[in-house]
Amino acid sequence: MSTQINRLKEQIAPLRDALVHHPINSFIQSTAELEVFMKHHVFAVWDFMSLVKKLQQEFTSVDVPWNPKGPAEVRYLINEIVLGEESDVDQNGVYISHFELYLRAMEELSFMPSPFLHELRSFANLDELLLAIPKSNIPESVKAFLTFTFSSIQNRSIEEIAAIFTFGREDIIPEMFQVIVDQLKRDSPDKVETLVYYLERHIEVDGGHHSELAYKMMEHLCGNDDSKWQNATQAAVESLQVRLKLWDGIVEHR
């Protein structure tokens, strides 16, 4: 791992620690609290794919005639993540996207997601989407999370978007989710089979292999440019801060 990656990780360490030890880890004590968690968190499950797709647009070729684009290692990372997110397998080996799997987990628990989640998917472009988010009736913490994701995709440099993806999602998810999975297995093992499967799949696929490839992507994008590393670090910090606000919003929604 490069010196720059290590330096970035040191700078975001307090925020990562705050997430790993967040009160949300002991929040889910009842079905009602699990419902609150899932109705908030499902938006983060959905918007993650737009981060991935932005990186796919940047680093892989979807044009005809085709020509290779970007470093092969980065193409491999993005294509592997798209494959897993869009067409993974469920507990029975049936192909399904992680977002659809999460919706299935909600359905099994009779949790209805916000109607705005379905409305979000109808917007034709980011401008329409970003105008609609503040007007919705979803929690403020969710609005802030979505606005950060999509305004970053629209306005930030590719190294900043990659840092949000790498350090705000891939790098933190295994450690963050493991604590939640342990609690769910202990307190409600028979009720949350699909949810636990979803979380454990992310712990598995977002662990060492994907993280290492994501670090290589960051090294390719930033190289020895200190200003790019500074921008990437700031984006990573902001992504973790907005995740903390999302978690705070869930815990405060008692």
Side-chain angles (χ1 to χ4, degrees), residues 37-95:
F37 171 80
M38 296 189 74
K39 283 186 173 181
H40 284 66
H41 181 242
V42 67
F43 287 95
V45 177
W46 176 72
D47 79 344
F48 173 76
M49 273 308 298
S50 290
L51 280 173
V52 176
K53 287 296 183 179
K54 177 65 175 178
L55 294 171
Q56 187 181 37
Q57 289 172 354
E58 184 71 20
F59 291 115
T60 71
S61 176
V62 293
D63 298 323
V64 177
W66 176 88
N67 278 297
K69 183 180 180 181
E73 281 187 321
V74 177
R75 293 199 302 266
Y76 176 80
L77 165 69
I78 300 304
N79 286 329
E80 182 175 293
I81 290 173
V82 169
L83 175 65
E85 288 289 333
E86 283 191 321
S87 50
D88 200 2
V89 292
D90 65 12
Q91 306 97 306
N92 301 311
V94 177
Y95 292 112

Side-chain angles (χ1 to χ4, degrees), residues 105-125:
M106 294 185 73
E107 183 180 357
E108 288 176 358
L109 290 159
S110 299
F111 299 162
M112 291 296 295
S114 165
F116 187 63
L117 180 65
H118 300 289
E119 185 180 344
L120 282 171
R121 296 153 69 187
S122 69
F123 294 109
N125 57 60

Side-chain angles (χ1 to χ4, degrees), residues 104-168:
R104 179 189 294 175
M106 294 185 73
E107 183 180 357
E108 288 176 358
L109 290 159
S110 299
F111 299 162
M112 291 296 295
S114 165
F116 187 63
L117 180 65
H118 300 289
E119 185 180 344
L120 282 171
R121 296 153 69 187
S122 69
F123 294 109
N125 57 60
L126 286 179
D127 288 330
E128 290 182 9
L129 179 59
L130 285 165
L131 285 173
I133 291 170
K135 300 174 184 177
S136 68
N137 62 354
I138 58 178
E140 292 300 320
S141 58
V142 177
K143 291 180 185 180
F145 194 89
L146 291 174
T147 298
F148 174 79
T149 298
F150 289 106
S151 62
S152 295
I153 290 171
Q154 185 176 55
N155 300 314
R156 300 187 91 142
S157 67
I158 193 61
E159 64 266 15
E160 291 173 296
I161 295 169
I164 292 166
F165 168 82
T166 299
F167 300 101

